[in-house]
Amino acid sequence: MEAVAAIFGLLFLLLVAAGVFVTVKAVKAAKRGVDRGVAQARRTVEDTTLRARQFTQPGVAGELAQLRLSLRTSMRATQDALHTGAERDTSLTEALGLFERLSAHGHELDDELKRLEREPDKASVTARLPELRERLERITHSAESLRWAARDRARQFADDDLAALGEQIDMEAGALRHWSKEPLEDRIEASGSASAAAGAGASGGTSGAAPEGAAGRKPWGSAEDETPAITARDPRTQPTYAWQRAPRTERTT
């Protein structure tokens, strides 16, 4: 009795532990989903604000907004391309590592540009713009190199697969059309040989059998059978159709 109670207690603890584990996993997954949604909404709001500043605030503020927007757009496009390609090509793992290092420089530049937006000394900010623009070009150039290399690699794999598939299809199509490449004379000769063999077999099979007519009886279906007499058809037993008139019968007096 005590053993049964211990077993039931252990099962209950296992069920409770499994329930807690599933609940924790579900809560973490929901939290990650919420965090991703909040981050996406924040990025959308920031991008919209930067686009508005780029066109509505001339001068240093508009220049800084344009630099930040260009940096964010390039880095996000490269990140999406690398992560999408890494799901099908494991060789992009090293490229992802390089991009993470490049992202650190991108985040540093974006934070610096954001601080300069609140800088009251616009003259100092204007003096630093050439250096900031050069750093931005170096980062975006590296990001574009990774992005286009990943895309070229994916396109090359697709072209190679398409070429191999085309060769296989051509081989299969040639195999399916093999019958049409046989010469007409060979097909005629093969058909004549088959017909001659069939005729020889039929004649050999009938030569050894004694005809039924030898016993004084005629075989069924013979041409010499007597033709049965032709009897008139009874119009009352013939089928009628919807478009035919009923047969006329003679009146009896």
Side-chain angles (χ1 to χ4, degrees):
M1 188 64 182
E2 295 179 356
V4 174
I7 292 174
F8 277 105
L10 181 60
L11 292 176
F12 178 75
L13 292 177
L14 290 176
L15 291 176
V16 171
V20 171
F21 177 77
V22 171
T23 303
V24 171
K25 295 288 289 184
V27 170
K28 289 183 177 179
K31 185 177 182 300
R32 287 195 298 268
V34 172
D35 292 341
R36 285 195 298 267
V38 172
Q40 180 66 29
R42 185 182 296 111
R43 286 194 297 267
T44 303
V45 172
E46 291 180 354
D47 292 344
T48 304
T49 304
L50 291 175
R51 290 189 180 93
R53 290 178 181 177
Q54 179 182 358
F55 295 106
T56 59
Q57 296 182 2
V60 179
E63 183 71 17
L64 292 175
Q66 182 181 0
L67 294 178
R68 289 189 62 193
L69 189 61
S70 300
L71 176 64
R72 294 161 69 91
T73 303
S74 179
M75 297 298 289
R76 189 176 299 120
T78 303
Q79 182 180 14
D80 294 341
L82 291 178
H83 280 283
T84 302
E87 296 177 356
R88 295 169 294 184
D89 189 1
T90 57
S91 61
L92 293 178
T93 305
E94 186 176 356
L96 282 173
L98 294 175
F99 177 74
E100 293 298 332
R101 295 173 56 186
L102 183 65
S103 296
H105 294 278
H107 288 302
E108 182 180 356
L109 178 59
D110 186 68
D111 293 339
E112 186 172 358
L113 292 173
K114 187 184 298 184
R115 288 194 300 268
L116 292 176
E117 289 177 349
R118 300 186 296 269
E119 177 63 37
D121 190 0
K122 301 302 180 181
S124 300
V125 176
T126 304
R128 293 197 56 187
L129 281 178
E131 184 265 334
L132 295 173
R133 192 179 296 107
E134 181 182 359
R135 286 175 58 189
L136 173 67
E137 291 177 357
R138 292 172 60 185
I139 294 174
T140 55
H141 176 73
S142 299
E144 290 174 358
S145 297
L146 288 175
R147 182 171 68 251
W148 285 108
R151 291 176 178 175
D152 292 342
R153 181 179 180 85
R155 185 172 61 255
Q156 183 63 37
F157 283 167
D159 292 342
D160 294 342
D161 184 69
L162 182 60
L165 180 61
E167 293 178 358
Q168 294 178 3
I169 291 175
D170 291 340
M171 292 177 61
E172 183 64 21
L176 293 175
R177 294 192 182 95
H178 181 69
W179 60 270
S180 62
K181 296 181 180 180
E182 185 180 358
L184 181 60
E185 292 79 2
D186 296 344
R187 293 203 300 271
I188 295 176
E189 292 178 0
S191 178
S193 300
S195 301
S203 61
T206 57
S207 60
E212 294 182 1
R217 292 175 297 177
K218 297 180 180 180
W220 291 355
S222 175
E224 298 178 1
D225 290 346
E226 295 181 358
T227 304
I230 300 176
T231 58
R233 297 181 180 180
D234 189 356
R236 292 174 297 179
T237 61
Q238 297 301 319
T240 58
Y241 299 95
W243 59 87
Q244 290 180 340
R245 295 181 180 180
R248 298 180 60 182
T249 57
E250 296 180 358
R251 295 182 180 181
T252 59
T253 58

